[in-house]
Amino acid sequence: MRIKNLNELIETYKDFPEKGIDFKDVLGIMHEPEVFKELILKMSSSQIIKNAEAIIAIDARGFIFGSAISLQASKPMVVARKPGKLPGEICEKNYSLEYGESSLSIQKKAIQKYNSFAIVDDLLATGGTVNCVSKILQSKNKEVTGLLVVVELIKLEGRLKLDFPIESYINF
Ligand code: AMP
C-alpha cells in the first residue's frame, strides 16, 4: 500500500499550531501531480469507497482528497464543516482534538438520500474528529463503511476509538 515518494512530500512543522504538536503538512503532495494521482487512484479503488453510497469529507484538507476521490470513483460527496459555515438545517456535534476543542456540522438535506458513507480526511491523530463525524452519521441511522486518511499518527491510537475499517497510506 506504500506509494513511492509520498513520505518525503509530507513536511513536519514542530510546535505548530501549538507547542508540543508536530504538524504533518500534506499539501506538498499536491505539488507533485503524478504522486497525487497515484494516491487518489489507490484511495478510490479501496473497498471502503466501493461499499459506500457517498463520501463524507472533513474540513478542510479532507475536501482536497474527498473531491478527487469523488470524481475518480463517481460517488457523491458531502462535507462535514467547522462551526458557522453551513447554511440550512444542520446536525452538529462537539469534539476534542489533539489541540483544543471544536464542533462539526453536516447539512441534514445533504445526507438524507444516502444510507452509507466512507469518511475521508488528510490525517488521523487522536480520532476525535472522525469519531464525531461517525457519531453524527450513526445518530441518523447511517452506516459508516470505513475511513480513508493519507497519514496516521500511530502513537496517538486514534484507530482504537473507531469501530470500522481504516486505511492509511503513511504512518508516523
Ligand atoms: P484528531 O481528531 O486528533 O484525529 O485530529 C485529526 C484532525 O486534525 C485532522 O482533520 C487533521 O487535519 C488535524 N490534525 C490533528 N493533528 C494533526 C497533526 N499533528 N498534523 C496535521 N494535522 C493534524
Side-chain angles (χ1 to χ4, degrees), residues 16-17 21-26 58-62 82 95-99 121-131 153 156 158 161:
F16 181 85
I21 302 292
D22 282 350
F23 190 85
K24 303 289 180 192
D25 188 6
V26 297
I58 300 180
D59 201 342
R61 290 163 191 230
K82 287 172 186 160
Y95 69 105
S96 31
L97 69 172
E98 203 186 350
Y99 37 84
D121 203 1
D122 65 328
L123 179 141
L124 177 66
T126 65
T129 309
V130 172
N131 194 38
L153 305 182
L156 295 177
K161 283 199 181 80

Side-chain angles (χ1 to χ4, degrees), residues 34-94:
E34 289 308 315
V35 179
F36 183 40
K37 194 185 287 176
E38 195 184 338
L39 174 64
I40 293 303
L41 291 176
K42 193 150 270 186
M43 293 175 96
S44 305
S45 65
S46 162
Q47 206 56 45
I48 291 170
I49 297 291
K50 288 185 178 151
N51 291 344
E53 285 178 29
I55 291 160
I56 185 156
I58 300 180
D59 201 342
R61 290 163 191 230
F63 297 168
I64 299 171
F65 300 97
S67 53
I69 296 167
S70 163
L71 282 177
Q72 177 61 32
S74 294
K75 299 269 178 177
M77 186 186 97
V78 303
V79 297
R81 291 219 65 182
K82 287 172 186 160
K85 302 285 186 187
L86 287 176
E89 270 195 84
I90 53 165
C91 334
E92 190 170 27
K93 191 171 165 44
N94 292 326

Side-chain angles (χ1 to χ4, degrees), residues 131-167:
N131 194 38
C132 174
V133 172
S134 75
K135 288 281 180 287
I136 298 175
L137 291 172
Q138 284 159 3
S139 75
K140 300 290 168 205
N141 296 318
K142 307 295 182 185
E143 185 201 343
V144 176
T145 64
L147 166 70
L148 291 184
V149 283
V150 181
V151 178
E152 180 174 355
L153 305 182
I154 295 289
K155 282 189 197 140
L156 295 177
E157 298 187 326
R159 63 167 62 227
L160 300 183
K161 283 199 181 80
L162 309 171
D163 58 358
F164 37 75
I166 298 161
E167 258 178 52

